[in-house]
Amino acid sequence: MNQFESMQIFLRVAELASFTAAADSLGMHKASVSAAVQQLENRLGTRLLHRTTRKVQMTQDGQVFYERSKDLVADIEELQGLFQDSPAALRGRLRVDMPLAVARDVVMPALPAFMAEHPGLEIELSSTDRRVDLVREGFDCVLRVGTLGDSSLIARPLGHYRLLNVASPAYLAAHGTPQTLDDLARHRLVHYLPALGARAAGFEYVDDAAGDGHARFFPMPGALSVNNSDAYTRACLAGLGIIQAPETGLQPWLAGGQLVEILPGWRAAPMPVSLLYANRRHLPRRVQVFMAWLTGLMQPRLMRDG
């Protein structure tokens, strides 16, 4: 039995936490499965599994080996099926990250059809407003909204989100509807801060008269700061202040009258939306297919020009 086959058997034992269950699923004798794992441990020079009469658990080294070998086995299996046209040939794990609103409103409704088309894929979807470390945390690709910093990652621009200034009817009834920037001095802004404790810049806008496209800020008070995009919208719906958010996520509330656009002539600059992935000579086909699918989902929701 070669090392690749032993790795496949180890993965199945680790996932099922049972030599018996792994043997049944692979159509092998339990003794052969146990021997394959033992052979792999001997080659590596470390114990991968704790074996007791009740259960099988991975050791610390086993967990590290599991994470690395799972992707390696998937890559080899994908390479073996490189010239197959069947969608079922795509196998392995995809670990992706995207903003909460994108995961909730765009990806989740369409994901069942994608997974039905590619039943061999296993997707780990992270949806957080925190900027994950793609390489250190093992992500295949990340959808990022906002300006990108300097990085060794490859960035694929998808378009831009148009930003609107909105408030709830209840808030406007209590505080009035601002018509100019100076009117904002009498209003409150709900502050969105990725890291709580940071200094809020204020109301962002582009002065079209200046013609330089640069962002400017009007300092504004605010009794509430949040670090989550969903809480940001909910705070506005509750009448706690004005927010500046992507139009696509606000459409249901605008259409239903729960939110109202204000100061349309003083919008913030559109936010770039990008797909990021590691600088690899060979990007696995499963990652390429997922990125193409996600790009197709996002395109109707984005401005093509900044």
Side-chain angles (χ1 to χ4, degrees):
M1 185 175 295
N2 61 42
Q3 188 162 348
F4 175 63
E5 292 171 331
S6 297
M7 289 170 61
Q8 289 176 304
I9 292 171
F10 162 73
L11 290 176
R12 189 62 59 88
V13 174
E15 288 165 352
L16 298 177
S18 167
F19 283 93
T20 302
D24 290 342
S25 69
L26 293 168
M28 299 175 62
H29 293 296
K30 181 181 176 181
S32 298
V33 170
S34 180
V37 173
Q38 181 68 57
Q39 184 182 51
L40 182 62
E41 289 176 326
N42 292 338
R43 286 173 178 166
L44 296 173
T46 189
R47 177 67 65 87
L48 299 176
L49 298 170
H50 286 305
R51 303 159 175 85
T52 69
T53 55
R54 292 187 174 183
K55 59 182 178 180
V56 175
Q57 285 184 308
M58 282 184 281
T59 64
Q60 186 172 353
D61 286 346
Q63 184 66 50
V64 173
F65 185 75
Y66 173 83
E67 293 296 332
R68 297 294 298 272
S69 62
K70 187 173 185 179
D71 289 337
L72 178 60
V73 166
D75 286 342
I76 293 174
E77 290 176 343
E78 181 181 296
L79 185 62
Q80 290 172 339
L82 187 62
F83 303 106
Q84 300 178 22
D85 295 327
S86 170
L90 293 182
R91 299 185 58 82
R93 179 183 64 176
L94 273 168
R95 179 176 289 179
V96 300
D97 177 79
M98 61 192 66
L100 173 62
V102 174
R104 181 192 62 216
D105 300 333
V106 180
V107 172
M108 287 303 179
L111 196 56
F114 179 81
M115 297 189 74
E117 186 178 357
H118 304 287
L121 292 180
E122 176 187 334
I123 298 177
E124 296 180 357
L125 195 157
S126 164
S127 52
T128 173
D129 291 342
R130 174 181 68 87
R131 292 207 165 188
V132 300
D133 186 321
L134 186 146
V135 174
R136 185 174 61 83
E137 298 181 56
F139 285 96
D140 294 298
C141 65
V142 169
L143 184 76
R144 193 154 286 172
V145 178
T147 303
L148 302 175
D150 293 334
S151 169
S152 60
L153 302 175
I154 306 298
R156 178 186 296 177
L158 300 186
H160 291 76
Y161 270 145
R162 179 185 287 111
L163 297 180
L164 303 184
N165 311 312
V166 298
S168 71
Y171 173 86
L172 296 176
H175 300 276
T177 300
Q179 302 297 328
T180 68
L181 285 178
D182 290 339
D183 290 344
L184 291 176
R186 301 187 298 274
H187 286 266
R188 293 181 180 179
L189 192 69
V190 177
H191 296 300
Y192 177 84
L193 301 173
L196 293 179
R199 183 178 178 182
F203 182 91
E204 181 182 349
Y205 66 97
V206 173
D207 188 350
D208 292 334
D212 56 14
H214 292 166
R216 291 170 168 79
F217 296 90
F218 187 96
M220 284 184 65
L224 177 66
S225 297
V226 300
N227 65 351
N228 176 280
S229 56
D230 193 48
Y232 189 52
T233 305
R234 297 292 171 176
C236 187
L237 288 165
L240 293 170
I242 297 167
I243 66 169
Q244 299 179 283
E247 179 181 17
T248 183
L250 298 174
Q251 282 298 348
W253 311 114
L254 292 169
Q258 293 97 328
L259 293 177
V260 178
E261 183 182 7
I262 60 173
L263 297 173
W266 301 97
R267 293 174 177 167
M271 294 180 71
V273 179
S274 312
L275 263 175
L276 275 65
Y277 54 97
N279 187 2
R280 295 177 59 178
R281 182 162 43 182
H282 167 64
L283 193 64
R285 184 163 168 258
R286 63 184 181 276
V287 180
Q288 296 179 39
V289 169
F290 180 83
M291 289 173 60
W293 173 77
L294 183 56
T295 298
L297 285 182
M298 294 298 297
Q299 289 302 312
R301 298 166 171 84
L302 298 173
M303 302 167 56
R304 294 305 300 160
D305 298 317

